[in-house]
Amino acid sequence: MHKYLIILVSALIMLNISGCKDVEEKENEKTNQTSNKEDQSDELILPMGSDDHSYANIAQVKTNHIHMDMNVDFESKQLKGEVRLDIENIAKTDSLILDVDNLHIQHVTLDDGSKANFKIGKRDPIFGSPMLINIKPNTKSVTIAYETDPNSKALQWLSPEQTAGKQHPYLFTQGQAILTRSWIPSQDAPALRITYSADIHVPSELMAVMSASNPRERSESGDYHFEMKQSIPAYLIALAVGDLEFRAIGERTGVYTEPKMAAASENEFADMEKMLIAAEGMYGKYKWDRYDVIVLPPSFPFGGMENPRLTFATPTILAGDKSLVSLIAHEMAHSWSGNLVTNASWDDFWLNEGFTVYFENRIMEEVYGKDYADMLMLISEQDLRKEIEELDERDTHLKLDLEDRDPDEGLTAIAYDKGAFFLKMLENAAGRERWDEFLKNYFQEHQFETITTEKFVKYLNENLIEPENLNVNIDEWIYGPGLPASHIKIMSEKFAKVDEAAEAMKNGKDLTEIAFDASDWAYQQNLHFIRSIPTDYGPDKMAEIDKAFGYSKSGNSEILAEWLVQSIRRGYDVDKETTDFLTRVGRRKFLTPIYSELIKTEEGKKRALEIYEMARPNYHAVSYITLDGMLGYEPQ
Ligand code: BES
Ligand code: ZN
C-alpha cells in the first residue's frame, strides 16, 4: 500500500465518520442479538493498515492486553460473551480499527462507561471486515459484547461421534495465519504483541485449555481462568474444550488428550523433556514456563500448531513407535523461532518456519543422532525440489509478496525447507560453534519482538558475515528463485541402502527378500523407497510391493499417505484404504495430494467427489476451503 494513498483514504474516512454519526447511532441501536453484518455492510471500505493482511491501525493505536469472558455453547455452536481490549492511543486518534470476520457484535462500551459508535465494513472473503470504533483521545479500553458465528473459520465444533470417546462434543480453534479475527475482534497482525487473560465457561463435564497457564484437572463448575503474561501475536491465542485428561511426561512437560488416547500419547512423547533440554542447550533457556501438547481429534487441519505453552497436534503422529516425533521437535522449536522472535508480516513467514525446520533438525540430531536428522533433511530436500517445480517463480523467493493474497499461499516448502537449507549453508560457512553463538544471541536480543527479513539481513551482516568475513551470497537465497547451487549436500548411508534396494527391485530381485532386509528401516527410508518406485510400474507390481512391505496397512500416516498417492497414480486399487483415510483424517497436508491425484482421471474425480461429500463434514474450514476450490465443490 502506498503511503500517500493511505493518507488520502484515511482522510476521506475521517470525513465520512464525522459526517454520518446519526446514521451510525441508529444502526447501533438497531443492533441486537442477531447478526448485524448485513445492516452494517453499507460500503465502509477501508484499506489495509500497515500490514497487508490486517485492517488494524496499529501504528496509531495498539492493543496491549485482551481479556475474554466467554461462554462455550455447544448447542448453538457459538462462543458468547465479551472481550475487553486495553489500548494505547499513541496518535490520540478517534478511531480504533479492528479485524473481524463474521462476528455478531452487540455493543461496544468505553472505559468511561459510555456506549461507543462502531461500524463494520464490507466483508472480504479472505480478510474479513474492518471494524471501526469511535474512541476518545484518552480511552484506555473498549469492551465488545459479541457472539461468534457457527461457521466461524477458526473454530471447529465436533459432535461426540467425531471424537475418540464418542461421548462428548469438542471444540478447538486455529488462529494462524489470519483466523483469530473470526473468533476474537482484534488487531490481527503478527507485528503486534499482546498479553491476554480469559475466563471461559464450559459444560462441567468438559475441560478447557488455552495457549496460557492451564488446569491439570477438571473444575467442578466448568469455569476456567487463564493467563498469558508474555506478549504474543494474536494468531497464537488458542482454545480447546473437550473430555480431556492430563498426563505428565517430564517436570515441565506433559500431554492433554481424550482418555482413550492418553496412554498412546504418553508413550509416543516420552522423549519430550529430553528434547526441551537439548533445545535449551543450544539456543537459550525456554521462556514459557511449561511445554505441554494437546493431541486433538483427527480432523485437526495441521500436523501441529505452536500455540505457546500448549502445542496443538494431530493424532496422526501417534505411530506407536515414536517415528513421527520430529513434529513435536518442530513445534517446540517455535518456542524460540516464531513465538519468541516473530515474523513481522506473512511475507517474512520463512523467518518463522525456515528457522524452525532448521532448529527442529538440530534437536533431532541431539536426541536421535546425525544419521536420523540427515534423513529428515533429505526428505525436506525432496519436498522442496518437487514444490519448486510446481510454484510460480516469484513464490520461490524466501521473502514473499503476498499483498492482496491469502497468506496461506506462503505455506509452501520454500518457507520451510529452502529457509532451513539457507541456514544450513550459513552454519556450514561459519562453522557450527560460531553459528550457534550467533543464533543464540539473535534469539536473546530479539526476544518478544517481531522482525522483518530486512532487519534480519542487517543483523546477519553485522554480527556474522562481516566480522567473520564470510563469502556467502545471501541475496540469491532471499530474493532469488529456486534452490541455489550453494546449498549443502547431504550424504546418507541409510538412503544409499534404499537406493540399492530400489535398484535391486528394478533388476528383478525377489521382493520378499528386499523387504526382509528392510525390516529395520526408519520411516524416512520407507518414504524414500516409496518415492523411488519407477513411474512405469503398474497395479500388479504395486500389489507385489504391498504384499512384501504391507504399506497399505501401515500405522505410520506419512508412509500410508505417500503410498496411497503412488498407488492411485499407478492404478493400484486402494479405494478402501483411501476412503477410510480421507473420512477419518482432516490434516490438509495429507488430503490435498490424495485428492489431487484422484482427480487426474474422470473416474477418479467422480470417486473423489463421492468421498468428499461424506468426508467434508469432518473437515475444519482450513481444509474444506482449500478442497472446495480444488474440487470445484459448491456447498449447498
Ligand atoms: N505454524 C505451522 C502451521 C501453520 C502455518 C498453520 C501457517 C497455519 C498457517 C506449524 O508449525 C507447522 O509447520 N506444522 C506442520 C508440521 C511441521 C513438522 C512441518 C504441519 O502442520 O504439517
Ligand atoms: Zn512450523
Side-chain angles (χ1 to χ4, degrees):
M1 180 62 62
H2 293 287
K3 293 282 172 302
Y4 296 115
L5 187 59
I6 296 179
I7 293 165
L8 178 68
V9 180
S10 312
L12 288 173
I13 293 158
M14 294 307 156
L15 282 173
N16 178 40
I17 293 160
S18 44
C20 68
K21 278 240 160 70
D22 291 352
V23 181
E24 279 167 29
E25 260 151 38
K26 282 202 199 95
E27 258 177 7
N28 295 350
E29 278 161 23
K30 254 195 334 201
T31 310
N32 51 33
Q33 292 287 83
T34 59
S35 161
N36 61 345
K37 71 180 191 285
E38 282 85 12
D39 31 309
Q40 301 250 329
S41 60
D42 59 331
E43 301 318 301
L44 167 69
I45 300 174
L46 290 189
M48 290 295 167
S50 45
D51 181 295
D52 278 348
H53 307 109
S54 164
Y55 295 102
N57 56 342
I58 54 177
Q60 275 122 32
V61 44
K62 60 176 202 192
T63 312
N64 283 327
H65 182 83
I66 293 183
H67 178 73
M68 281 179 261
D69 194 325
M70 303 297 279
N71 289 301
V72 179
D73 185 343
F74 282 97
E75 286 288 308
S76 68
K77 301 190 173 166
Q78 285 177 297
L79 300 177
K80 300 176 176 175
E82 47 183 54
V83 302
R84 192 192 71 234
L85 307 181
D86 295 339
I87 58 171
E88 195 177 324
N89 192 349
I90 310 155
K92 301 281 173 230
T93 166
D94 59 4
S95 47
L96 166 66
I97 303 171
L98 305 180
D99 295 294
V100 296
D101 188 7
N102 218 355
L103 297 177
H104 307 303
I105 312 283
Q106 285 136 5
H107 50 78
V108 181
T109 323
L110 302 185
D111 47 335
D112 63 7
S114 65
K115 282 266 183 300
N117 290 316
F118 68 94
K119 202 164 163 61
I120 292 171
K122 191 169 160 38
R123 177 169 185 259
D124 178 281
I126 295 168
F127 305 117
S129 325
M131 173 176 175
L132 194 147
I133 303 173
N134 285 160
I135 56 169
K136 298 168 186 166
N138 59 353
T139 299
K140 296 269 183 303
S141 75
V142 300
T143 300
I144 305 168
Y146 74 105
E147 297 174 355
T148 58
D149 189 87
N151 291 313
S152 157
K153 282 190 213 162
L155 308 177
Q156 192 175 11
W157 300 88
L158 297 173
S159 65
E161 302 73 57
Q162 291 169 304
T163 67
K166 316 276 180 222
Q167 301 297 313
H168 300 281
Y170 206 107
L171 164 71
F172 65 81
T173 68
Q174 166 61 36
Q176 200 181 13
I178 55 169
L179 303 182
T180 296
R181 62 192 68 176
S182 75
W183 74 288
I184 309 171
S186 51
Q187 296 184 303
D188 192 11
L192 178 75
R193 303 186 81 91
I194 49 143
T195 54
Y196 82 87
S197 51
D199 289 301
I200 305 286
H201 316 284
V202 306
S204 60
E205 65 277 15
L206 303 181
M207 196 198 290
V209 290
M210 291 192 83
S211 52
S213 56
N214 274 311
R216 297 276 180 87
E217 310 216 325
R218 196 165 304 168
S219 97
E220 294 277 306
S221 61
D223 300 328
Y224 294 89
H225 180 74
F226 301 92
E227 301 270 349
M228 170 42 82
K229 294 195 161 132
Q230 285 109 319
S231 69
I232 57 168
Y235 74 83
L236 293 176
I237 306 178
L239 167 70
V241 181
D243 178 18
L244 301 175
E245 177 184 327
F246 174 78
R247 298 268 180 115
I249 287 178
E251 225 167 277
R252 291 173 296 171
T253 50
V255 60
Y256 291 85
T257 192
E258 289 184 68
K260 271 213 148 145
M261 294 192 287
S265 304
E266 192 182 349
N267 287 333
E268 205 79 22
F269 304 151
D271 295 334
M272 228 155 74
E273 192 84 21
K274 250 191 261 173
M275 292 170 147
L276 192 56
I277 292 165
E280 286 186 307
M282 291 182 278
Y283 300 127
K285 208 177 143 4
Y286 180 72
K287 297 273 163 62
W288 307 88
D289 190 17
R290 287 197 58 84
Y291 179 80
D292 295 315
V293 174
I294 177 171
V295 179
L296 294 156
S299 66
F300 186 58
F302 292 103
M305 178 63 217
E306 67 272 25
N307 298 316
R309 296 178 68 120
L310 184 66
T311 283
F312 281 29
T314 169
T316 61
I317 53 168
L318 303 177
D321 57 3
K322 303 198 181 96
S323 56
L324 299 178
V325 293
S326 62
L327 184 133
I328 299 297
H330 178 96
E331 305 312 334
M332 182 185 279
H334 272 305
S335 307
W336 287 261
S337 44
N339 297 1
L340 203 55
V341 186
T342 306
N343 55 206
S345 82
W346 300 117
D347 290 344
D348 306 300
F349 185 52
W350 77 276
L351 292 175
N352 274 17
E353 298 300 341
F355 277 66
T356 299
V357 171
Y358 173 83
F359 192 176
E360 162 200 344
N361 200 253
R362 293 293 305 276
I363 296 173
M364 294 308 285
E365 181 179 331
E366 282 300 302
V367 180
Y368 301 98
K370 185 162 171 11
D371 283 356
Y372 193 93
D374 280 351
M375 287 192 285
L376 287 170
M377 269 333 275
L378 283 168
I379 293 289
S380 257
E381 187 179 336
Q382 293 173 2
D383 293 342
L384 177 58
R385 289 187 187 278
K386 181 158 167 280
E387 191 133 22
I388 286 172
E389 280 177 24
E390 291 162 5
L391 288 170
D392 267 11
E393 194 211 276
R394 64 169 181 164
D395 290 332
T396 69
H397 308 178
L398 285 177
K399 172 84 187 187
L400 296 172
D401 182 4
L402 296 169
E403 191 176 356
D404 298 328
R405 294 159 72 193
D406 191 331
D408 235 37
E409 291 185 36
L411 221 172
T412 72
I414 297 300
Y416 287 81
D417 305 312
K418 183 180 179 181
F421 270 95
F422 174 45
L423 301 190
K424 285 249 173 207
M425 183 278 288
L426 290 172
E427 177 202 322
N428 192 45
R432 180 167 278 191
E433 207 178 320
R434 182 68 188 85
W435 167 252
D436 278 354
E437 177 195 316
F438 165 81
L439 208 49
K440 189 173 178 175
N441 290 337
Y442 167 74
F443 290 131
Q444 171 75 30
E445 287 170 33
H446 300 89
Q447 59 174 324
F448 301 109
E449 288 177 11
T450 53
I451 185 154
T452 60
T453 298
E454 294 71 18
K455 203 169 151 200
F456 168 71
V457 168
K458 184 164 181 284
Y459 185 84
L460 176 67
N461 276 322
E462 287 171 2
N463 293 282
L464 190 70
I465 295 180
E466 283 156 20
E468 298 300 322
N469 206 5
L470 300 185
N471 179 22
V472 290
N473 181 348
I474 55 178
D475 283 355
E476 66 172 353
W477 283 86
I478 295 176
Y479 305 105
L483 179 61
S486 61
H487 77 86
I488 61 147
K489 279 89 195 160
I490 296 161
M491 299 297 167
S492 163
E493 277 178 26
K494 299 218 147 141
F495 269 32
K497 285 219 175 85
V498 176
D499 295 335
E500 278 166 33
E503 201 48 42
M505 172 169 73
K506 270 187 257 173
N507 296 332
K509 184 171 167 184
D510 182 48
L511 274 160
T512 35
E513 237 174 273
I514 299 178
F516 181 80
D517 292 339
S519 56
D520 65 343
W521 277 2
Y523 102 87
Q524 301 95 313
Q525 288 175 289
N526 280 297
L527 206 60
H528 180 43
F529 184 71
I530 295 170
R531 289 176 176 184
S532 313
I533 298 173
T535 39
D536 61 359
Y537 273 25
D540 294 349
K541 237 9 200 164
M542 293 301 277
E544 275 177 47
I545 298 173
D546 203 9
K547 193 156 169 254
F549 285 83
Y551 288 136
S552 286
K553 297 196 174 53
S554 178
N556 182 305
S557 56
E558 295 279 350
I559 291 177
L560 181 59
E562 186 73 41
W563 175 251
L564 294 179
V565 171
Q566 302 297 344
S567 297
I568 296 164
R569 185 170 298 165
R570 292 173 178 79
Y572 174 53
D573 182 6
V574 284
D575 185 69
K576 196 189 159 299
E577 290 82 1
T578 306
T579 309
D580 175 61
F581 191 76
L582 295 177
T583 45
R584 189 168 46 86
V585 174
R587 185 175 173 190
R588 185 173 63 179
K589 177 189 126 172
F590 290 150
L591 303 183
T592 46
I594 297 176
Y595 278 107
S596 78
E597 197 56 50
L598 278 173
I599 62 176
K600 282 182 182 164
T601 66
E602 271 311 307
E603 201 188 328
K605 180 148 194 202
K606 224 180 107 224
R607 187 69 193 126
L609 281 164
E610 281 166 14
I611 300 173
Y612 190 55
E613 194 81 48
M614 277 190 295
R616 192 178 181 277
N618 193 36
Y619 297 159
H620 183 277
V622 158
S623 293
Y624 71 69
I625 290 173
T626 303
L627 291 168
D628 284 355
M630 224 177 86
L631 302 173
Y633 180 89
E634 291 197 15
Q636 304 309 315

